Amino acid sequence: MSTSTRFLRLLSLLQTHRYWSGDELAERLNVSLRTVRRDIDRLRELGYPVQADRGVGGGYQLASGTALPPLVLDDEEAVALVVALQSTVHGGSSTLAEAALRAMGKVVPVLPARLRQRAQALTTSTVPLNSQSSIPDPVDPGVLVAFAQACRDHERISFDYQDAKGSASSRRVEPVQLVNVGNRYYLVAFDLDRDDWRSFRVDRAQNPSPRALRFTPRQVPGGDAAGFVRAGLRGSGQPEVSARIHASAQKLEPLIGRWFQIQQIDEESCLVRTENMDLRWAAFGLAMSEAKVSDVQPEELRALLDSWISNLLLASCE
């Protein structure tokens, strides 16, 4: 590996991880610890503020406000990039959403605070055309990225949280996974103060603070983070949406798999289900299946679909 290639690889590693120990970087780059230290010094000479933290959980990290290597973005470009990535996280296919979240994990941590605030203002003030509800749930990209990094790095994190009743509290958790349900993200984590598992709506969380304390991940109840969130939503009093769609799971997965659980019934039909979703968005999701739909539940969703069909047919006759 040439020196220039190693530099770019080192910069990439520093962007994608909160802390790297010298030994970890040396192993990833296949060089000695002495070479790592020398490369870090050279990066600092070039103007990249690489911080070195001592103690348990410490290591090297790229400070906030660093120009985005190897690209240099001006303020407007950096804000536009974060807004575009967040839109993809919430509205893209599952593959694109995961890739966008990884990209945000690189971009957001190295933006100055003023630019993160501008990006958040834009995303919370803009309603996309295919919004899943009339009132979108704004998510601070900094909070989303902080949770994603803490899950990946098995690092404890604390944050302020407001529950559904409006009660505020401070939480210390061991995060495991982010789960996307419709237009919301949930963090599945073990709550250290309550000694129990919890799921937290990310749009209700503020001021995330990684604790630089690593932990060994615990087993999520049932072994499935998505199932844990799903069980919690079923107990929230929200009606479950279900329908029979006359198409194969293979066809439906890329069309509506982001919003619905899909279970093959026979060769020609599937049962689809979801919870805690705006009924208008559920109706739109069923229409996106591009197939015949029957056995729709709940009754309110059937009535909404009947109303849409009636209005659309009337409009086509005029």
Side-chain angles (χ1 to χ4, degrees), residues 244-252 262-271 291-292:
R244 183 169 186 165
I245 300 184
H246 298 262
S248 67
Q250 184 178 8
K251 176 187 176 182
L252 294 178
I262 302 172
Q263 178 183 350
Q264 191 85 39
I265 299 175
D266 52 41
E267 293 182 358
E268 299 180 350
S269 64
C270 293
L271 174 66
K292 294 181 179 179

Side-chain angles (χ1 to χ4, degrees), residues 230-240 275-277:
R230 192 176 301 120
L233 293 177
R234 285 187 184 132
S236 67
Q238 293 286 344
E240 180 183 75
E275 304 92 11
N276 205 33
M277 180 180 283

Side-chain angles (χ1 to χ4, degrees), residues 8-301:
L8 290 177
R9 175 62 174 155
L10 177 57
L11 284 169
S12 178
L13 289 172
L14 289 172
Q15 281 188 307
T16 57
H17 203 291
R18 179 165 295 278
Y19 296 108
W20 287 101
S21 70
D23 291 336
E24 288 174 324
L25 289 174
E27 181 180 353
R28 291 296 187 102
L29 298 172
N30 195 26
V31 297
S32 67
L33 182 58
R34 181 178 179 182
T35 299
V36 169
R37 290 169 179 164
R38 186 166 60 244
D39 287 349
I40 292 292
D41 288 339
R42 288 175 179 172
L43 287 178
R44 289 168 174 161
E45 291 174 0
L46 291 172
Y48 294 107
V50 182
Q51 297 177 340
D53 297 327
R54 300 178 181 274
V56 178
Y60 296 105
Q61 71 173 141
L62 203 60
S64 296
T66 306
L68 305 178
L71 300 176
V72 177
L73 304 177
D74 62 28
D75 288 6
E76 287 73 20
E77 291 170 338
V79 171
L81 181 59
V82 173
V83 172
L85 287 172
Q86 190 177 27
S87 297
T88 304
V89 167
H90 290 292
S93 67
S94 57
T95 301
L96 285 176
E98 291 173 4
L101 187 56
R102 291 197 304 270
M104 284 179 63
K106 296 181 180 181
V107 175
V108 173
V110 296
L111 288 180
R114 59 186 177 83
L115 293 188
R116 290 198 297 270
Q117 292 170 359
R118 288 178 60 187
Q120 181 184 3
L122 277 172
T123 55
T124 56
S125 301
T126 304
V127 178
L129 183 61
N130 64 341
S131 176
Q132 300 170 10
S133 65
S134 57
I135 304 177
D137 299 312
V139 175
D140 184 338
V143 174
L144 190 61
V145 168
F147 284 168
Q149 290 180 324
C151 290
R152 180 195 60 203
D153 299 340
H154 307 315
E155 183 180 76
R156 290 181 178 179
I157 191 168
S158 62
F159 55 92
D160 297 328
Y161 190 72
Q162 187 174 69
D163 64 20
K165 297 179 180 179
S167 300
S169 61
S170 296
R171 303 299 183 103
R172 295 184 312 119
V173 305
E174 294 180 351
V176 173
Q177 194 167 5
L178 286 165
V179 176
N180 179 219
V181 181
N183 61 337
R184 293 172 180 160
Y185 270 89
Y186 292 82
L187 174 69
V188 176
F190 187 82
D191 192 313
L192 294 169
D193 294 319
R194 290 154 182 80
D195 194 31
D196 199 4
W197 288 92
R198 294 288 190 274
S199 63
F200 303 94
R201 269 179 50 177
V202 177
D203 59 292
R204 292 175 176 165
Q206 293 181 326
N207 306 318
S209 177
R211 311 305 298 174
L213 294 173
R214 303 293 179 84
F215 64 89
T216 301
R218 306 169 191 251
Q219 181 73 22
V220 179
D224 179 15
F228 180 79
V229 172
R230 192 176 301 120
L233 293 177
R234 285 187 184 132
S236 67
Q238 293 286 344
E240 180 183 75
V241 169
S242 65
R244 183 169 186 165
I245 300 184
H246 298 262
S248 67
Q250 184 178 8
K251 176 187 176 182
L252 294 178
E253 186 62 42
L255 295 174
I256 62 172
R258 177 173 172 79
W259 308 294
F260 292 92
Q261 290 177 268
I262 302 172
Q263 178 183 350
Q264 191 85 39
I265 299 175
D266 52 41
E267 293 182 358
E268 299 180 350
S269 64
C270 293
L271 174 66
V272 300
R273 295 181 298 181
T274 188
E275 304 92 11
N276 205 33
M277 180 180 283
D278 185 290
L279 291 184
R280 288 168 295 180
W281 181 247
F284 179 75
L286 293 177
M288 286 289 291
S289 69
E290 301 178 358
K292 294 181 179 179
V293 179
S294 62
D295 303 330
V296 176
Q297 296 290 342
E299 183 178 347
E300 294 85 354
L301 180 56

